[in-house]
Amino acid sequence: MSSKKFASLRYTASRVALLAACFAVVWVLCYLHVVPLGANNSNLVWMVLLALILSAPLSWVLLRKQRDAMSEQIVERVDRAKARMAATAGQEDGV
């Protein structure tokens, strides 16, 4: 139960950690001049964009289990909310 309880938090933290790791790799590659630096002092923006581009497909592959657990958690919450709304609507119609 506890693994499902914090699924959204775990996925979000993993996604941020993966982005930070990608940024670190891009920073090292720029520092070593393997990847060209941005123009007119846009180095930080350039590195963040490269890190985002790298982390998106990696997260799609590496974080599949966390994403599935998070979607199960969200579906359960939506189903409970729908059931509460239906029960409330039934009580209002019965009055």
Side-chain angles (χ1 to χ4, degrees):
M1 179 71 181
S2 65
S3 64
K4 286 186 179 182
K5 186 175 182 181
F6 298 107
S8 297
L9 181 62
R10 187 177 301 111
Y11 176 74
T12 303
S14 299
R15 186 78 193 261
V16 170
L18 185 60
L19 177 62
C22 286
F23 181 79
V25 168
V26 168
W27 185 82
V28 168
L29 291 176
C30 286
Y31 180 76
L32 296 174
H33 298 289
V34 174
V35 175
L37 298 174
N40 297 329
N41 295 327
S42 66
N43 295 340
L44 183 62
V45 174
W46 170 249
M47 289 189 285
V48 168
L49 287 175
L50 281 176
L52 284 169
I53 290 170
L54 289 174
S55 70
L58 287 174
S59 70
W60 182 256
V61 173
L62 298 175
L63 302 179
R64 180 178 178 182
K65 289 181 184 179
Q66 289 88 350
R67 189 174 51 253
D68 290 343
M70 182 182 67
S71 69
E72 287 177 15
Q73 179 186 25
I74 292 170
V75 166
E76 289 173 3
R77 286 184 182 177
V78 168
D79 289 343
R80 283 196 308 261
K82 284 182 181 179
R84 281 194 304 263
M85 288 174 52
T88 303
Q91 288 176 352
E92 290 175 357
D93 291 340
V95 172

